[in-house]
Structure formats: C-alpha cells, structure tokens
Amino acid sequence: STLFQLINTGGSQLSEQELRNVILIMVKPEAYRWIRDLANDSNFRNCTALTDRALYEQYDAELVVRFLVFRWLERNKLKVIGDIGDFLTDTIVELAQSDQFNSFRAEAEESFRFTFERLSETLNSDSFHKYDASRERHSGGFLISAFEVIAIGLGYNAKKYIDGGSLPDIQSISKNLWQIEEFTKNSGTGVRASSRIPVTIPLGRRLFE
C-alpha cells in the first residue's frame, strides 16, 4: 500500500497501528472513532491486560482491527496474507470505505461485545496467557496466537450463541488448547504471522463451533 509507505518514510517512530490510525482518520474518521471505542470496552481491556507501553503504541486498537478483519475473512484468503501490517491496513481501509460498512459495523460490534463479555466472566486477565497444566494455572504474558484462537474463534461463532445456542466451556477450551500439537507447533516465537494465521484462525472457528 503506497499510502502506508508514504507516511512511513518520515523517519518517525510511529507504530504500525498509529500509522493505520492516520490513514483511517483521512479516509473515514467514523471508522477510526469506532475502533477506538471498541478498544476502550472495559471487558476487552480486562481480558487483554496490556502493558502501558503496548497501550501507548495503540496495540489495543491493533487487536481490535485483527478481530474485525480475521473474524470475517474467508478461509481461502487466510493463506495469502503476506506482510501482516500491510494486509491489516489494506483490509480495514477497504472495509471502512465499502458500502457495507454500516451493516458490517453493527454485526461486528455485537459479536465483539458479546465475545469479551463472555471472556471477562470466565478467563478475565488469563484469557490470552499460556495454561501450565503442571501448575494448574495460566502464566506469562499476552500471546497473540491465543488471542487468534480464543477471541476470534469465539467471535466468529458469536451470532449463534447470541441467538440462544448453548455456549461451549470456554475455560476447558482455553486449558486444552496447549495440548493441541497443531497449535503448539505453530504458535511459538519465530513462527511468522503469515504461517501462523492460516492455522490459528480456522482452529479457533472449529473449537468454538
């Protein structure tokens, strides 16, 4: 995306999401304000429990963008992501500018608020931390791979639970995730996002079916 590169050549130390914010403010301020509003959701904040530095760099807004983009993305498109930063920027800008934005927004917001309300009630600040079976507790820091499976997987299926379907056991899914080789092999450090996402997103969709 040339616009992204254009802004990025100023030599300033902006994070990818700060640049994305600038672009969204230029093309659709309403979309930017909506994403910031979702990032301020108290349940979302409880579950992600980000560091001050991550918040300063707008990583909370980036997680919202990831939720919005990957919850909705068709499975065949997960394999052609390439650079994750450019992909997120291009996709969210395209969504913001599309004629479907308002209907997308209403449905996505309902799923987002439902997802983080349920996670806040069950896992809270442990939502995206590794579960250590030997010590029977979650530990370590925020893991994007866990977010992709648990938040986006639940979000993808949220509509049927909102409509009255019985919710699966979120806590046991979270604990058992770390026994699934397909996940552990693809979620460690050094696994690129473009390799990880085609595994984590479909896995999350399946686990919360």
Side-chain angles (χ1 to χ4, degrees):
S1 54
T2 32
L3 183 58
F4 189 74
Q5 268 107 38
L6 189 74
I7 298 172
N8 211 0
T9 49
S12 59
Q13 294 301 302
L14 290 182
S15 71
E16 286 197 337
Q17 184 58 41
E18 287 172 307
L19 291 168
R20 208 168 282 127
N21 289 345
V22 172
I23 296 168
L24 280 169
I25 288 165
M26 286 161 64
V27 301
K28 183 96 169 193
E30 179 195 346
Y32 163 74
R33 285 193 299 270
W34 175 53
I35 288 165
R36 272 289 0 135
D37 181 49
L38 293 179
N40 289 329
D41 178 276
S42 59
N43 292 314
F44 171 77
R45 293 184 94 76
N46 292 344
C47 293
T48 49
L50 296 174
T51 62
D52 289 344
R53 180 180 174 146
L55 292 170
Y56 177 74
E57 292 175 350
Q58 298 281 315
Y59 193 58
D60 53 344
E62 172 160 325
L63 291 176
V64 171
V65 169
R66 286 175 182 247
F67 180 93
L68 297 174
V69 166
F70 291 123
R71 189 192 70 93
W72 156 89
L73 205 66
E74 294 152 28
R75 188 166 177 168
N76 60 339
K77 293 198 176 148
L78 292 170
K79 291 188 167 60
V80 289
I81 285 166
D83 179 81
I84 181 81
D86 285 346
F87 181 81
L88 288 171
T89 302
D90 293 343
T91 312
I92 199 70
V93 167
E94 201 179 307
L95 265 170
Q97 292 180 303
S98 80
D99 296 341
Q100 280 80 48
F101 177 71
N102 287 340
S103 57
F104 169 82
R105 174 179 174 164
E107 196 260 340
E109 174 153 350
E110 186 181 37
S111 295
F112 180 93
R113 304 236 188 242
F114 174 87
T115 295
F116 289 101
E117 205 173 297
R118 296 292 84 77
L119 290 175
S120 190
E121 290 166 355
T122 50
L123 296 167
N124 205 290
S125 60
D126 286 334
S127 292
F128 312 116
H129 294 199
K130 183 173 182 174
Y131 182 72
D132 183 339
S134 62
R135 295 157 77 188
E136 296 191 354
R137 66 185 183 88
H138 290 84
S139 59
F142 173 90
L143 291 168
I144 187 65
S145 52
F147 181 86
E148 286 162 358
V149 172
I150 293 165
I152 300 175
L154 179 54
Y156 179 79
N157 291 289
K159 188 82 184 97
K160 65 178 158 213
Y161 304 127
I162 293 167
D163 292 343
S166 64
L167 196 64
D169 184 337
I170 294 171
Q171 276 178 314
S172 68
I173 290 174
S174 159
K175 289 175 182 176
N176 296 335
L177 180 58
W178 304 96
Q179 312 301 319
I180 301 174
E181 195 187 347
E182 180 190 3
F183 174 72
T184 53
K185 257 191 357 203
N186 289 284
S187 63
T189 47
V191 179
R192 290 175 55 195
S194 55
S195 313
R196 185 188 72 241
I197 285 166
V199 175
T200 53
I201 302 294
L203 176 64
R205 291 175 180 184
R206 261 196 341 263
L207 291 175
F208 285 97
E209 237 160 18

